[in-house]
Amino acid sequence: MLDFRLDEEYEALRKTVEEFARDEVAPVIGDLYERNEFPYGIVAKMGRMGLFGLPFPEEHGGMGGDYFALCLALEELARVDSSVAITLEAGVSLGTMPLFRFGTDEQRAQWLPRMCTGEVLGAFGLTEPGGGSDAGAMRTTARLEDGHWVLNGTKAFITNSGTDITGLVTVAAVTGTKENGRKEISAIIVPAGTPGFTVSKKYSKVGWNASDTRELSFADCRVPEANLLGERGRGYAQFLQTLDEGRIAIAAVGVGLAQGCVDESLRYVGEREAFGHKIGEYQAIKFKIADMEVRAYNARLAYYAAAAKMLRGEPFKKEAAIAKLVSSEAAMDNAREATQIFGGYGFMNEYPVGRFYRDAKILEIGEGTSEVQRMLIARELGL
Amino acid sequence: MNIVVLVKQVPDTWSERKLTDADHTLDRESADAVLDEINERAVEEALLLKEAHGGEVTVIAMGPGRATDAIRKALSMGADKAVHVSDDALHGSDVIATAKVLAKAIGTVEGFDLVIAGNEATDGRAGAIPAILAEILGLPQVTQLRKVTVEGTTVKGERETEEGVAHLEASLPAIVSVTEKINEPRYPSFKGIMAAKKKPVTTLTVADLGVDAGEVGLGGAWSGVIEASPKPPRSAGQRIDDEGVGGSKIAEYLVGQKLI
């Protein structure tokens, strides 16, 4: 009944991605991060091994796996680097998933095969400079005119939106007013390069420096009416569904980062000496690392449990919020402790833990802040 | 074109590897076991040839029960089927016994055109199997290749040495071995991993292959390991403080070691 072992194929995938991260990502990511460069070579390799197609059926060019398989891959990548993990996470669950789930046959045929191989990345434009979690504050508009949607507005912090291989951005926009007076929000596919669609230069970020994050602006940007994704007026409901599962994926990224901190610390304390002993022999260090392992372990159980409910088709909103909350806090705490263990070297960018420290904070913010997760959990409890 | 790839499960070079105290054979418990990296390249080359010419790729492994993991990986990469020779009697076999068994196992694959092996395993490092196999099977061997192509019934290859590059060819069927320069092996995809579960793996004993159990294993080996000791830990080294003549002091040291 209670069996936490991974099925053979999940374990084989986990191991494959572990090797990939160790052999292909670890040796090069430090330089890319330092130079704020998007990891095109790594993305191409991940594409060839099918990671961008993991949860999609083979008929669309996918791998026929599921969302949990994606989470396992994300965890293993994030053990080594979060920029790479988030590029995959956003590419799959924000870029491709909405098209797969809500797209017409034509839209799926046009985009999915190349997105599943990582040749084309999709992005998801929800957040605006004036509001993230508050959809009522959305100001980007799309009006229907002569068979075209005409978009105007600005989107902020959009992952994968300005790479050389970005093919499209799915943009949430106000398309009218509902009977109850609320804004009618719809999702519209805007292909890269459409006139009137401008991509700003990359943000200067605290972390995730090898990932692509940009501000997007739309000025009388016209796309065909057929680019509506899903039902008109269902845009926000669609995004909510996307966000719930995205939280499990972000939880997996957090667990990976938290575990990466344990990996790096274990390696370091077995080598570094102080006062005549390996620092790993001191109880102050042992206890820190034991606590770090506990946090990573707990957070992993939380996201496995949320994923299990999702795969069984049961409601998983609360579990996803718990997993995301626990894991982002584990990542932040472990990154802080690992940096402390490394001492002065922890503050140097050439060591991975410094990168982990910078990458951890966003996990408490992106895809719903920790406050939003608590709000959701309380709401699920009837408060 | 039907291709046979010889694969071996070896202790992960990332983990600490050692021999058992009892009989100086590999201590399989001490390290993680993986498909040898050079065999991943051999499988990759077979898959590339299959993609170009069609046909079927069969992997053959000799090893204990858990070698199925290595076989599974080769199948996940895209090989079509596998033969696993597994028998307690094989424990401690030397290269000659291993080659005899592998030759018989290759014989169970109908109509093979090409056998691809790695040039040497990362554990035993004898590098002799391809040549012994060629002798037993009476086939041409083209070893230590950095490039392999097949044209009609001819296999062509490039062997790189310190002196230059030799261009070699042989008529099929033939045995080739590849070096680490041959290619970059693919990572298995999840689709490949799922498909591998359904691919046929034939498990055979030495008796199934008609090999006398007395000829193989530690008892049948022509050579033996008399003694083994772990590599001594690295010593602290010699420290040179650079007071303007550091460079020449290092050069003196290297000259003393006959390195320059």
Side-chain angles (χ1 to χ4, degrees), chain B residues 187-227:
Chain B
Y187 288 88
S189 71
F190 194 62
K191 193 159 73 179
I193 289 168
M194 298 290 281
K197 288 168 67 179
K198 300 188 197 91
K199 290 177 177 172
V201 179
T202 311
T203 306
L204 300 172
T205 61
V206 288
D208 293 335
L209 291 171
V211 175
D212 177 4
E215 282 181 37
V216 298
L218 212 49
W222 291 17
S223 61
V225 178
I226 305 303
E227 198 185 318

Side-chain angles (χ1 to χ4, degrees), chain B residues 114-129:
Chain B
L114 185 66
V115 177
I116 305 181
N119 60 340
E120 67 174 27
T122 50
D123 57 354
R125 303 199 60 182
I129 293 285

